[in-house]
């Protein structure tokens, strides 16, 4: 089935605009669904209120110029404007933007730093931050409501390829870089760097927190998929199975599954608790043998993301296709065309997939399906129980297999 197009946000171009530098490497939705951000190329990040963006699609059809005069969204006129009314911002980050992440604060979550009274920043309940990872190794932290720069984090020596905030509201930020390291930052401690995670033999392409913030997955060159204990900052295990660079990862909403995308033309769905591959979604048939692990380079998978229903995964590959998969089916349930796609992510409510290419964004309606009561119960149980505990439950074997996503 062909996915239904919802809309487009097209970056402005000029006849002399060089293609290099216009790549849209990253797109992100705010945790509360209030904002959408993407790298528009040439150092620019666009911040758009998501509700107004959807209204524009309804009013003006699917096509929507990101800077078109007729569809321009209201800009914030002054710092004193009310925060209840989201406003559009265009942020010049000073260098090519490779990664974005939204972070929201929960005041009850204390910083791990002792000297709380010395902090320059006090983050309230309504605080929303945007972290941008740059080509020069810097990470800039912006106030989403005002568009103002708050922090400039400098420690990486190479491109900051990915960023992820802990979902628990602690404002712990993890950055993945081509300098082969992951760095852990505490934004409630004025951006203090808490830890450097070493172990990757080569570039680190991506990182993702589990929903309970206890585990971090990092992926990179040389087939690397690592899991880290974020309480002890130690490596839990390596997941082995990919045959080429692994470039993207994401946990399912209940934390029971982990999806990874690789240049070996495959997406694997793992049980991260025991390191077993549960599903394989191939993008080249027959799949390449390990000695030619990259396959044809027009089948490399660039991005993967999990839907909020825990049943669907989206992947984006170099064969000009976006695919929607069900975790219990072998073939895609929907597809959509996209040339030169580089990144994709689901909206906060899971109803729309956003994918980026050369500075522009494209949106599709995701497969809609009412989750079964069985699956909802499975997700509720798996949010609080790892695989080892599920296997020790005094219940029939078939139920255990279902709870472990093995059937």
């Amino acid at each position: 089935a062909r996915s239904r197009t919802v809309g487009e946000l097209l970056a402005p171009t000029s006849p002399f605009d060089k293609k290099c530098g216009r790549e849209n490497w990253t797109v992100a939705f705010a945790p509360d669904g209030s904002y959408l951000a993407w790298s528009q190329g040439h150092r620019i990040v666009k911040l758009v209120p998501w509700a107004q963006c959807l209204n524009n699609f309804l009013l003006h059809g699917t096509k929507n110029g990101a800077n078109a005069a007729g569809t321009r969204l209201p800009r914030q006129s002054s710092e004193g404007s009310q925060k209840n009314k989201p406003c559009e911002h265009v942020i010049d980050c000073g260098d090519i933007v490779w990664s974005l992440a939204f972070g929201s604060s929960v005041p009850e979550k204390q910083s791990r730093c002792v000297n709380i009274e010395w902090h320059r920043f006090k983050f309230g309940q309504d605080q929303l931050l945007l972290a941008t990872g740059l080509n020069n190794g810097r990470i800039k932290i912006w106030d989403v409501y005002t568009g103002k720069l708050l922090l400039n984090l400098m420690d990486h020596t190479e491109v900051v390829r990915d960023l992820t905030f802990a979902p628990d509201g602690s404002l712990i930020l993890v950055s993945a870089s081509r300098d082969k390291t992951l760095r852990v930052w505490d934004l409630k401690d004025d951006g203090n760097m808490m830890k450097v995670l070493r172990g990757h033999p080569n570039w680190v392409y991506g990182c993702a927190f589990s929903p309970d913030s206890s585990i971090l997955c990092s992926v990179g060159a040389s087939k690397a998929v690592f899991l880290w204990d974020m309480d002890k900052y130690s490596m839990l295990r390596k997941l082995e199975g990919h045959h080429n660079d692994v470039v993207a990862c994401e946990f399912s909403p209940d934390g029971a599954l982990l999806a990874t995308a690789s240049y070996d033309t495959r997406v694997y769905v793992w049980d991260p608790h025991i390191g077993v591959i549960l599903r394989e979604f191939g993008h080249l048939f027959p799949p390449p043998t390990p000695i030619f692990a990259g396959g044809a380079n027009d089948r490399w998978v660039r991005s993967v993301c999990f839907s909020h229903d825990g049943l669907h995964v989206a992947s984006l590959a170099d064969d000009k296709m976006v695919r929607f998969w069900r975790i219990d089916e072998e073939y895609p349930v929907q597809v959509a065309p996209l040339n030169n796609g580089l990144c994709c992510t689901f909206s906060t409510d899971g109803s729309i997939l956003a994918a980026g290419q050369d500075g522009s964004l494209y949106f599709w309606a995701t497969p809609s399906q009412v989750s079964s009561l069985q699956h909802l119960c499975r997700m509720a149980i798996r949010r609080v129980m790892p695989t080892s505990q599920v296997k020790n439950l005094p219940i029939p074997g078939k139920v255990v297999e279902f709870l472990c996503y093995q059937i």
Side-chain angles (χ1 to χ4, degrees):
R2 187 83 170 260
S3 296
R4 178 175 61 85
T5 303
V6 174
E8 302 172 354
L9 288 173
L10 304 177
T13 56
S14 66
F16 307 105
D17 194 5
K18 292 182 180 177
K19 185 175 181 181
C20 182
R22 284 190 57 230
E23 293 88 357
N24 177 358
W25 291 109
T26 177
V27 57
F29 286 92
D32 61 357
S34 59
Y35 273 92
L36 164 72
W38 78 98
S39 60
Q40 214 175 62
H42 302 309
R43 316 184 313 183
I44 300 301
V45 167
K46 197 75 178 285
L47 262 171
V48 177
W50 178 232
Q52 294 181 34
C53 191
L54 282 177
N55 288 338
N56 280 345
F57 291 152
L58 293 173
L59 291 172
H60 304 284
T62 59
K63 288 189 183 287
N64 188 355
N67 280 343
T71 58
R72 182 170 291 173
L73 303 172
R75 292 271 180 94
Q76 190 145 329
S77 55
S78 69
E79 200 174 339
S81 300
Q82 64 267 59
K83 290 183 179 179
N84 317 339
K85 191 175 177 186
C87 298
E88 175 187 323
H89 296 288
V90 177
I91 298 174
D92 187 341
C93 295
D95 205 344
I96 294 172
V97 181
W98 285 83
S99 50
L100 293 170
F102 281 98
S104 55
S105 171
V106 175
E108 298 77 47
K109 275 281 181 185
Q110 291 297 326
S111 164
R112 298 193 186 190
C113 175
V114 180
N115 297 320
I116 306 296
E117 65 274 9
W118 293 105
H119 287 174
R120 287 184 299 153
F121 297 109
K122 295 285 185 282
F123 294 108
Q125 182 70 60
D126 60 348
Q127 191 77 38
L128 186 60
L129 306 178
L130 179 70
T132 55
L134 307 182
N135 195 66
N136 58 12
R138 295 192 178 192
I139 302 166
K140 292 187 176 181
I141 311 296
W142 309 83
D143 185 320
V144 170
Y145 300 123
T146 64
K148 293 195 176 296
L149 179 65
L150 297 178
L151 291 168
N152 194 352
L153 311 180
M154 296 177 286
D155 211 73
H156 282 296
T157 56
E158 290 281 349
V159 171
V160 179
R161 190 63 187 85
D162 200 14
L163 294 165
T164 182
F165 275 98
D168 61 4
S170 61
L171 288 185
I172 297 296
L173 174 70
V174 175
S175 53
S177 171
R178 285 184 182 172
D179 64 13
K180 308 178 188 177
T181 67
L182 297 135
R183 293 174 193 262
V184 186
W185 313 81
D186 185 354
L187 298 196
K188 287 194 174 181
D189 187 20
D190 293 341
N192 178 46
M193 192 187 71
M194 301 160 57
K195 199 73 180 174
V196 181
L197 304 180
R198 304 182 191 276
H200 278 269
N202 215 313
W203 290 2
V204 191
Y205 278 101
C207 54
F209 268 104
S210 63
D212 64 0
S213 304
S214 66
I215 298 174
L216 180 84
C217 175
S218 62
V219 297
S222 309
K223 317 173 195 176
V225 182
F226 295 165
L227 295 178
W228 307 83
D229 181 331
M230 292 308 287
D231 291 324
K232 301 175 183 175
Y233 301 117
S234 60
M235 191 182 294
L236 282 171
R237 64 178 57 88
K238 299 179 184 179
L239 303 183
E240 296 182 355
H242 279 296
H243 303 297
N244 205 323
D245 293 0
V246 191
V247 294
C249 60
E250 189 163 58
F251 282 90
S252 63
D254 59 3
L257 303 174
L258 170 71
T260 57
S262 169
Y263 288 164
D264 65 10
T265 74
R266 299 168 175 93
V267 167
Y268 285 153
V269 178
W270 309 75
D271 183 327
H273 302 286
I274 56 177
V276 172
I277 298 172
L278 300 177
R279 305 281 185 277
E280 176 183 328
F281 299 136
H283 296 67
L284 178 64
F285 299 97
T289 56
I291 197 168
F292 299 112
N297 60 10
D298 60 349
R299 295 293 190 280
W300 286 3
V301 189
R302 294 281 177 181
S303 186
V304 67
C305 53
F306 247 108
S307 176
H308 83 307
D309 63 7
L311 282 174
H312 293 92
V313 174
S315 67
L316 188 154
D318 282 348
D319 62 354
K320 305 178 183 178
M321 296 291 285
V322 177
R323 293 172 173 84
F324 296 93
W325 312 78
R326 265 186 66 100
I327 59 169
D328 53 1
E329 293 185 18
E330 190 177 351
Y331 299 103
V333 291
Q334 285 186 17
V335 296
L338 181 68
N339 288 338
N340 305 321
L342 293 171
C343 58
C344 66
T345 190
F346 282 99
S347 60
T348 310
D349 65 1
S351 63
I352 289 174
L353 182 81
Q357 45 153 232
D358 292 332
S360 300
L361 273 186
Y362 299 85
F363 302 90
W364 295 276
T366 59
S368 55
Q369 192 164 7
V370 178
S371 298
S372 68
L373 188 57
Q374 286 176 316
H375 175 64
L376 293 175
C377 291
R378 173 169 60 182
M379 288 183 69
I381 292 169
R382 293 312 308 270
R383 279 192 174 96
V384 296
M385 273 194 178
T387 306
S388 57
Q389 291 183 20
V390 171
K391 289 192 171 181
N392 289 330
L393 292 174
I395 54 178
K398 280 291 182 189
V399 179
V400 171
E401 288 181 14
F402 177 76
L403 291 177
C404 294
Y405 289 91
Q406 290 171 357
I407 54 173

